[in-house]
Amino acid sequence: MPALESGTTVAGHVLDCLHGLPDSLHQSISVIAAVPPYVPETAADFLPHEALDFEPRTALFGGSDGLDLVRRLITESLDWLAADGVLLIELGRDQAAEATGLATERGLEARSHLGEDDYTTVLELRRGHWN
């Protein structure tokens, strides 16, 4: 592992969603923050040409409804979050209700924070109750 000038050691991991994290992190992560690809495949015509021309499709599109990776993050985070850990996911405003439903089915409490652009939302998910 490389050491930075400050003496901090940094390690990287190749992941498939959250699969690939070291077992030592199981049930101990305080915060998982993600901006997964959440554009529905049917919305390609609404994206700026710059995005389509220069970004890989896998960085933009999240399946037919845009929630494929969001579903995986919610499900897989349960193995990695500490008891008081929080999962933050950016997604489209219109996708928040479905993602919230999935999260609550898995025992997570949800809060939604509308972005300044009025189109994106950060879904804040955690186990148990809010303080």
Side-chain angles (χ1 to χ4, degrees), residues 17-18 69-79 81 87 89 98-104 106 108 123 125:
C17 197
L18 299 178
L69 195 54
V70 171
R71 286 185 192 90
R72 286 189 60 198
L73 280 164
I74 291 170
T75 301
E76 292 178 20
S77 71
L78 297 173
D79 290 332
L81 285 174
L87 172 61
I89 305 175
E98 186 171 342
T100 296
L102 176 69
T104 56
R106 284 159 178 71
L108 297 170
L123 199 58
L125 305 171

Side-chain angles (χ1 to χ4, degrees), residues 14-39:
V14 176
L15 303 179
D16 175 12
C17 197
L18 299 178
H19 291 284
L21 287 170
D23 289 339
S24 61
L25 295 177
H26 194 264
Q27 300 282 308
S28 68
I29 298 176
S30 298
V31 177
I32 298 172
V35 183
Y38 60 84
V39 177

Side-chain angles (χ1 to χ4, degrees), residues 32 70 74 84-93 95-104 107-115 120-131:
I32 298 172
V70 171
I74 291 170
D84 59 348
V86 62
L87 172 61
L88 304 168
I89 305 175
E90 179 183 302
L91 63 158
R93 176 186 66 196
Q95 297 166 313
E98 186 171 342
T100 296
L102 176 69
T104 56
L108 297 170
E109 296 286 324
R111 286 186 182 166
S112 183
H113 307 277
L114 185 61
T120 58
T121 297
V122 172
L123 199 58
E124 180 181 359
L125 305 171
R126 67 177 63 232
R127 289 189 175 105
H129 302 284
W130 302 101
N131 293 333

